[in-house]
C-alpha cells in the first residue's frame, strides 16, 4: 500500500463527506510524488478527448454511452482536465495497488498539456474534436498546439478519431502513421452556408499552401473542404445527415437519432460519440439513449429556475461565443443577457478575443438588456457600444448583484460566463433558485 495514495484517498473521503470535491487531492498527490500519474494501471479501454471547444460535453456523452452499454466507466465529468484533476480522478477510482476499478476510462485532457499526460494514461482511443484560437497569452498560436498533438500521436498505435470537417484536425492523420484513423463528418444541412463571415483558422492547405475550397461551412472554419493536392478528401465512417431542427433528430447510417441539443455543434458531439461506439464495437442504441436523456450541467446550457428560466453557458473564445449567441437568439421570446468577463489566469489575461466575436448578433428587438459584469465588465460594455448596443447595456460589476437584477426583471435570461466566473455564478444561481423553491 502506497502511503501517499492512502493519504490522497483519505482526503477525498473526508471532502466527499463534507460535500466537496475538486482537484485538491490531486494537487497534494503530485506535490508529494511528481510521478504519481505514472503508477496507475489503466483499464482495458482508455478514451482521451481533446480539442478546443466541446471537450467536456463530448467526453461526458461518451462515458454515459459506454455505461449504457454495460461498461463500468469513470470520467472527469466536471472537466478537470489538467494533471491535478486527472490525478484526483484516478486516485478516487483505484485500489491500493494503483489498479483502476473500471472497464473503461473516458478522460478529457487539455489540448495544451496532452503531451504531458499521453504516455502515462495509455490511451487506446483518442478523440480530437476541433481547434480554434483560444487564450493566446496562455496557449500561443494554434499552430503550436497542433504540432504538440502531432508529436504525441506520431507513434500512437490505437484508434484516432478525428473531426473530418476541421482542416486543422485532419492534419493529425498525416503524421499519425501507426494509428487507425477514423473520420466523422456532418453533411450539408439547412443552416449551412456557402461563405462565412466568422474568423477562419483553416484557410490554407498545410501540404501545398493553396487556399482550401469549401463546398459549405457549418460554423467558423468547420465544413466540407478540399484541396487540389488531395488534402481533405476523406471517407467518413460516421456521417450525420438530415438534421431536423423541428423534431431535434438526425440520421446516421440509415437510423434516426435524437439530438440532445438543437444546435449544429451538438451534432458534431454526437458524431464523435457514434464513432467511438463503432470503433469499440458497441451498440449505437446505447448512444441514442444517452442523447435522449442527456441533461447538460456545469455551465453547458444549464437551466436555473429563477423568476423565469435562466440559462448559463461557458464562453472562452470567439467561436464558442458566436455559437452560444446563435443559440440564445434562436430561442423565442424577449430575454435579458448577462456577460461575465474575467481575465484571471485560467481565463487568459488577453481579452482582445471579444473583438473577434460577433456580438452584433445581439442587436435584435428580443434582447432587451445586456448586463456586463465581472472583472472586465467595462471592456465588454465598450465592445457592445461599438455594435450600437449602448442604449441596452447595463454595467453591474458584482456577479451576485447582476444575477439578482436578472431575477427581479421577471424575464427569461441567459448568462455567458468565462471560466473563473462560471462556477461561482452557478453557486449564486443555485441559491437564488433554491430561494424560489422554498
Amino acid at each position: 500500500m502506497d502511503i501517499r495514495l492512502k493519504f490522497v484517498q483519505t482526503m477525498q473521503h473526508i471532502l466527499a463527506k463534507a460535500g466537496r470535491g475538486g482537484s485538491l487531492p490531486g494537487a497534494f498527490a503530485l506535490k508529494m510524488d511528481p510521478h504519481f500519474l505514472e503508477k496507475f494501471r489503466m483499464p482495458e479501454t482508455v478514451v482521451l478527448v481533446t480539442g478546443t471547444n466541446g471537450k467536456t460535453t463530448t467526453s461526458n456523452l461518451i462515458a454515459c454511452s459506454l455505461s449504457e452499454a454495460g461498461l463500468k466507466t469513470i470520467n472527469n465529468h466536471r472537466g478537470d482536465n489538467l494533471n491535478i484533476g486527472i490525478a484526483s480522478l484516478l486516485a478516487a477510482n483505484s485500489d491500493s495497488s494503483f489498479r483502476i476499478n473500471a472497464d473503461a476510462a473516458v478522460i478529457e485532457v487539455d489540448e495544451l498539456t496532452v503531451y504531458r499526460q499521453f504516455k502515462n494514461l495509455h490511451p487506446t482511443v483518442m478523440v480530437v474534436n476541433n481547434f480554434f484560437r483560444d487564450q493566446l497569452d496562455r496557449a500561443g498560436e494554434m499552430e503550436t498546439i497542433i504540432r504538440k498533438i502531432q508529436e504525441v500521436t506520431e507513434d500512437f498505435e490505437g484508434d484516432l478519431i478525428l473531426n473530418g470537417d476541421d482542416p486543422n484536425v485532419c492534419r493529425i492523420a498525416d503524421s499519425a502513421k501507426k494509428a487507425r484513423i477514423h473520420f466523422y463528418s456532418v453533411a450539408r444541412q439547412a443552416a449551412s452556408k456557402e461563405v462565412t463571415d466568422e474568423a477562419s483558422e483553416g484557410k490554407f492547405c498545410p501540404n501545398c499552401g493553396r487556399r482550401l475550397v469549401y463546398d459549405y461551412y457549418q460554423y467558423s472554419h468547420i465544413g466540407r473542404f478540399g484541396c487540389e493536392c488531395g488534402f481533405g478528401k476523406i471517407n467518413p465512417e460516421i456521417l450525420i445527415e438530415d438534421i431536423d431542427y423541428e423534431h431535434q433528430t438526425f440520421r446516421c447510417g440509415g437510423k434516426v437519432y435524437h439530438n440532445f441539443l438543437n444546435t449544429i455543434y451538438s451534432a458534431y458531439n454526437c458524431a464523435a460519440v457514434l464513432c467511438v461506439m463503432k470503433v469499440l464495437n458497441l451498440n449505437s442504441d446505447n448512444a441514442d439513449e444517452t442523447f435522449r436523456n442527456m441533461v447538460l450541467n456545469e455551465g453547458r446550457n444549464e437551466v436555473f429556475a429563477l423568476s423565469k428560466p435562466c440559462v448559463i453557458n461557458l464562453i472562452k473564445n470567439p467561436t464558442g461565443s458566436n455559437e452560444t449567441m446563435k443559440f440564445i437568439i434562436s430561442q423565442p421570446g424577449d430575454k435579458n443577457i448577462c456577460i461575465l468577463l474575467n481575465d484571471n489566469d485560467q481565463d487568459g489575461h488577453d481579452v482582445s478575443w471579444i473583438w473577434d466575436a460577433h456580438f452584433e448578433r445581439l442587436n435584435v428587438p428580443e434582447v432587451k438588456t445586456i448586463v456586463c459584469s465581472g472583472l472586465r465588465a467595462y471592456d465588454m460594455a465598450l465592445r457592445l457600444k461599438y455594435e450600437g448596443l449602448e442604449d441596452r447595456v447595463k454595467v453591474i460589476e458584482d456577479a451576485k448583484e447582476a444575477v439578482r437584477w436578472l431575477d427581479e426583471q421577471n424575464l427569461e435570461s441567459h448568462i455567458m460566463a468565462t471560466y473563473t466566473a462560471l462556477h461561482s455564478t452557478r453557486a449564486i444561481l443555485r441559491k437564488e433558485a433554491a430561494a424560489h423553491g422554498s
Side-chain angles (χ1 to χ4, degrees):
M1 175 64 177
D2 186 287
I3 192 169
R4 287 162 294 196
L5 176 60
K6 179 66 176 175
F7 173 78
V8 170
Q9 291 176 332
T10 301
M11 181 189 295
Q12 287 174 321
H13 181 70
I14 293 169
L15 288 172
K17 274 196 165 185
R20 298 176 59 193
S23 302
L24 182 62
F28 271 97
L30 291 168
K31 191 158 189 176
M32 291 186 293
D33 180 5
H35 301 285
F36 189 70
L37 280 174
E38 300 172 22
K39 298 180 177 179
F40 288 96
R41 298 166 66 181
M42 301 299 288
E44 183 178 345
T45 299
V46 179
V47 181
L48 299 191
V49 180
T50 195
T52 306
N53 289 344
K55 295 186 293 293
T56 302
T57 300
T58 302
S59 61
N60 287 346
L61 287 166
I62 294 170
C64 290
S65 299
L66 267 54
S67 295
E68 282 284 344
L71 277 65
K72 183 180 179 182
T73 306
I74 64 168
N75 85 303
N76 47 345
H77 67 276
R78 290 188 58 191
D80 299 322
N81 60 22
L82 300 176
N83 273 347
I84 57 175
I86 295 170
S88 296
L89 170 72
L90 298 182
N93 293 279
S94 166
D95 65 14
S96 59
S97 301
F98 286 92
R99 184 185 292 107
I100 301 300
N101 297 314
D103 301 314
V106 180
I107 304 175
E108 174 190 338
V109 183
D110 180 75
E111 67 273 23
L112 255 184
T113 60
V114 65
Y115 70 95
R116 296 177 188 163
Q117 297 128 340
F118 192 83
K119 289 183 179 179
N120 294 334
L121 297 176
H122 306 287
T124 57
V125 180
M126 183 171 180
V127 179
V128 186
N129 52 12
N130 52 59
F131 290 123
F132 300 104
R133 293 176 76 235
D134 184 47
Q135 298 184 12
L136 292 181
D137 56 331
R138 173 176 173 260
E141 285 296 335
M142 191 173 57
E143 186 70 23
T144 305
I145 297 171
I146 296 171
R147 286 178 178 172
K148 283 182 178 179
I149 293 181
Q150 284 179 314
E151 286 173 12
V152 299
T153 56
E154 189 175 11
D155 295 318
F156 180 49
E157 297 181 355
D159 293 285
L160 192 54
I161 295 176
L162 305 175
N163 181 352
D165 294 344
D166 185 338
N168 301 307
V169 172
C170 285
R171 290 171 54 183
I172 297 170
D174 293 336
S175 56
K177 302 295 185 184
K178 299 179 182 179
R180 294 178 292 276
I181 306 296
H182 312 271
F183 288 112
Y184 61 87
S185 176
V186 177
R188 186 190 296 268
Q189 40 89 36
S192 300
K193 296 181 178 180
E194 301 296 322
V195 295
T196 181
D197 59 355
E198 298 176 9
S200 297
E201 304 296 339
K203 295 179 180 178
F204 300 99
C205 176
N207 295 337
C208 69
R210 292 188 184 94
R211 192 176 188 91
L212 294 175
V213 177
Y214 275 78
D215 294 334
Y216 56 86
Y217 292 90
Q218 308 283 28
Y219 66 99
S220 188
H221 61 268
I222 306 298
R224 188 81 306 274
F225 62 90
C227 180
E228 291 178 29
C229 71
F231 177 74
K233 294 179 181 178
I234 63 166
N235 183 24
E237 293 187 30
I238 294 295
L239 177 64
I240 284 184
E241 301 175 286
D242 301 328
I243 296 177
D244 185 339
Y245 291 107
E246 182 181 353
H247 298 98
Q248 205 164 322
T249 61
F250 62 83
R251 187 178 296 275
C252 180
K255 292 175 63 175
V256 175
Y257 294 86
H258 182 77
N259 194 352
F260 69 95
L261 189 65
N262 221 8
T263 63
I264 183 61
Y265 56 86
S266 64
Y268 278 95
N269 297 145
C270 292
V273 176
L274 291 173
C275 205
V276 171
M277 297 299 279
K278 184 176 182 181
V279 163
L280 296 180
N281 199 28
L282 297 173
N283 193 332
S284 64
D285 289 345
N286 298 126
D288 191 39
E289 190 67 20
T290 295
F291 300 157
R292 287 178 181 275
N293 299 314
M294 184 68 172
V295 177
L296 294 172
N297 54 23
E298 303 292 340
R300 278 78 181 176
N301 277 83
E302 187 175 10
V303 182
F304 290 87
L306 304 187
S307 60
K308 289 290 177 68
C310 178
V311 184
I312 186 169
N313 268 296
L314 170 69
I315 59 168
K316 58 177 184 168
N317 54 40
T319 299
S321 300
N322 290 340
E323 293 309 302
T324 297
M325 285 186 280
K326 288 178 190 176
F327 173 77
I328 292 172
I329 298 306
S330 72
Q331 304 307 296
D334 293 342
K335 55 189 70 70
N336 290 324
I337 296 173
C338 176
I339 304 174
L340 279 146
L341 180 65
N342 280 356
D343 63 348
N344 294 311
D345 288 344
Q346 290 167 294
D347 304 296
H349 297 296
D350 183 357
V351 297
S352 63
W353 62 266
I354 64 176
W355 294 91
D356 292 325
H358 287 247
F359 286 101
E360 74 275 7
R361 298 188 194 281
L362 303 181
N363 201 347
V364 294
E366 292 79 12
V367 174
K368 299 305 179 184
T369 303
I370 306 171
V371 177
C372 297
S373 188
L375 299 175
R376 302 295 289 269
Y378 283 96
D379 295 76
M380 193 67 243
L382 178 64
R383 173 69 184 91
L384 296 175
K385 179 181 178 180
Y386 276 86
E387 298 299 347
L389 289 160
E390 65 270 24
D391 59 330
R392 284 184 258 177
V393 168
K394 185 179 185 68
V395 176
I396 306 176
E397 293 180 78
D398 181 74
K400 187 179 293 186
E401 292 301 317
V403 169
R404 188 167 295 135
W405 186 88
L406 290 174
D407 195 11
E408 291 169 352
Q409 305 314 302
N410 198 34
L411 191 66
E412 178 185 323
S413 57
H414 293 261
I415 296 177
M416 303 164 63
T418 53
Y419 190 80
T420 63
L422 183 71
H423 294 298
S424 58
T425 306
R426 289 180 66 247
I428 295 167
L429 287 165
R430 278 197 300 269
K431 287 182 179 179
E432 289 291 321
H436 280 281
S438 60

